[in-house]
Amino acid sequence: MVTTRKKRVAMTEKLKKDVFMACVVRVSREILPHGSFKAVGETHKIHPRTVANLWYSTLKQIPGYQPNTPLDPVSLLANVPETAFTTKFENSGRNPKHDRDMLLQEIKNIDPTARRTIRSLAGAVGIPVMTIWRMKQSKKLKVHTMALKPKLNDDHRLNRLFHCIAKIDKNTINSVAEMTFKSMYNEIHIDEKWFFLVRDGLRCIVTQDEPPPKAISVSHKSHITKVMFLSALARPRFNHTTRQEFDGLIGIYPVGEIDMYVRASHGHQPGDLKWCNVNMDRDLYRDMLFNFVLPDVKKKMPIDNNIILQQDGAKAHLPDDDPLFAAKVTELFGDPTAVKLYTQPAQSPDLNVNDLGFFNSLQSRQLQRTLLN
């Protein structure tokens, strides 16, 4: 039979006071009745011997108390000193070999590149690894992840501020109620993304007697097959016209073309179809907007006018006042202002819902479904 050791209860100052008060309340006929230590211990989930030690040690600290004398609850509470319940947990145990304050100051003077792991930091300071680990467990040290962020100058920050201010609902600026942002139901965010078909170091859990699956073979780790997609997203909502939920997905369009193999190989025969990536340029981008994005916007968007097509500032993208785009919008919607192009501020991927999280979720989901052969 395996027995588990109970976790020791920390005798804090508050707990000591509560235990002593519980014993004082049980004083009857100037004595503490038999079984009081056990009852108080069960109430506070501590051992009766611990209650007895606390009771007798506190009585000894009361001025003028004599053992085996009648107990007066009022006198006990009035004469018990405040120092009777002080705890010394912070000073308990052996003194540490290395002064923590000096170590913290020494760590601050070490270059951040030399303290990326506990082992490297311990080597830079010249102390055992367990000392650094204990300092981390005691919350004296913490792990900070440095994420790559776009470099912003003053113009970038100013443009981002103007972009966010433009999203405020003008009807709520001078109202008594709190200002609110626009619903953004008429905005569509578009962007391109490279998707890797497989990733190096994929993990899976196998049984002890199961052979590991064979991963997809590539010619070189630096030449992993990848494809590009153009994504167009809007805000999900309920379409009151069709009485259906609109998930916000306008479309995800592959950037490339289908070609045929000319020569035979170990994996294909002449005439087999293959997918070829194509570099995104302005002509291809305009063609995809005209043939895929705008027709799907007209077919799927619940709002059919005053739509804003937000794009980033890539060179292959169209200017906001592109005349061919306005002509195509007039042809499809009958109004050149029904759909407008808008270029988001530079160095601001967090202002596009695709870069903000949609592409990452797609890549993660795709890697979970990677085929193995």
Side-chain angles (χ1 to χ4, degrees), residues 9 15 38 61 68 82 96 98 131 260 293 335 371:
V9 179
L15 181 58
K38 182 178 180 181
Q61 300 182 49
N68 300 324
E82 291 292 336
H98 305 279
T131 303
M260 292 190 302
V293 178
D335 182 7
L371 296 178

Side-chain angles (χ1 to χ4, degrees), residues 41-298:
E42 291 177 352
T43 304
H44 294 82
K45 298 181 180 180
I46 57 178
H47 198 274
R49 192 177 301 167
T50 305
V51 180
N53 293 336
L54 176 63
W55 172 256
Y56 291 121
S57 63
T58 306
L59 292 180
K60 291 180 181 180
Q61 300 182 49
I62 297 178
Y65 171 76
Q66 296 295 331
N68 300 324
T69 57
L71 300 176
D72 181 14
V74 178
S75 176
L76 292 177
L77 296 177
N79 297 324
V80 62
E82 291 292 336
T83 58
F85 306 110
T86 56
T87 178
K88 298 181 180 180
F89 279 112
E90 295 182 358
N91 299 327
S92 62
R94 64 179 183 180
N95 294 328
K97 182 179 180 181
H98 305 279
D99 185 76
R100 297 297 187 258
D101 295 333
M102 294 181 61
L103 286 179
L104 291 176
Q105 187 61 38
E106 188 174 354
I107 290 174
K108 292 179 182 179
N109 298 329
I110 298 176
D111 188 77
T113 58
R115 40 185 165 130
R116 293 179 178 175
T117 61
I118 294 179
R119 185 176 297 276
S120 62
L121 177 58
V125 182
I127 59 177
V129 176
M130 286 302 299
T131 303
I132 299 295
W133 183 83
R134 292 192 182 99
M135 293 178 66
K136 180 177 176 295
Q137 294 297 111
S138 62
K139 308 299 182 182
K140 295 183 180 296
L141 298 175
K142 62 180 181 180
V143 178
H144 173 70
T145 302
M146 293 175 287
L148 295 178
K149 297 182 179 179
K151 186 176 181 180
L152 300 175
N153 55 32
D154 294 338
D155 292 337
H156 295 154
R157 296 186 180 94
L158 189 62
N159 292 333
R160 294 182 70 172
L161 177 62
F162 289 155
H163 173 84
C164 296
I165 292 177
K167 301 300 179 182
I168 299 177
D169 190 354
K170 296 180 180 179
N171 298 325
T172 62
I173 293 179
N174 296 324
S175 61
V176 180
E178 185 179 359
M179 289 190 299
T180 59
F181 287 94
K182 298 178 181 178
S183 62
M184 299 178 64
Y185 283 137
N186 63 329
E187 291 193 16
I188 301 174
H189 292 184
I190 57 177
D191 199 6
E192 303 93 3
K193 171 68 175 178
W194 283 108
F195 284 89
F196 289 91
L197 295 182
V198 69
R199 186 182 64 184
D200 185 27
L202 285 176
R203 300 175 58 187
C204 65
I205 301 176
V206 298
T207 60
Q208 185 176 8
D209 56 349
E210 180 186 6
K214 185 179 179 181
I216 296 177
S217 301
V218 295
S219 59
H220 195 273
K221 290 185 178 182
S222 62
H223 293 79
I224 299 177
T225 305
K226 58 182 180 179
V227 294
M228 178 183 286
F229 288 91
L230 176 67
S231 172
L233 289 180
R235 183 177 177 182
R237 78 211 69 165
F238 181 76
N239 189 353
H240 294 278
T241 304
T242 60
R243 309 298 298 175
Q244 294 178 352
E245 288 286 345
F246 173 60
D247 59 1
L249 179 61
I250 303 299
I252 299 179
Y253 315 99
V255 180
E257 59 185 8
I258 298 177
D259 199 358
M260 292 190 302
Y261 288 101
V262 179
R263 297 180 179 87
S265 178
H266 67 281
H268 56 79
Q269 297 296 327
D272 291 346
L273 300 180
K274 65 176 180 178
W275 177 260
C276 297
N277 294 320
V278 178
N279 294 329
M280 176 67 80
D281 54 14
R282 180 162 296 184
D283 294 335
L284 179 59
Y285 180 74
R286 183 186 288 111
D287 182 70
M288 296 189 69
L289 288 183
F290 290 177
N291 297 328
F292 300 107
V293 178
L294 290 179
D296 286 347
V297 169
K298 183 179 180 180

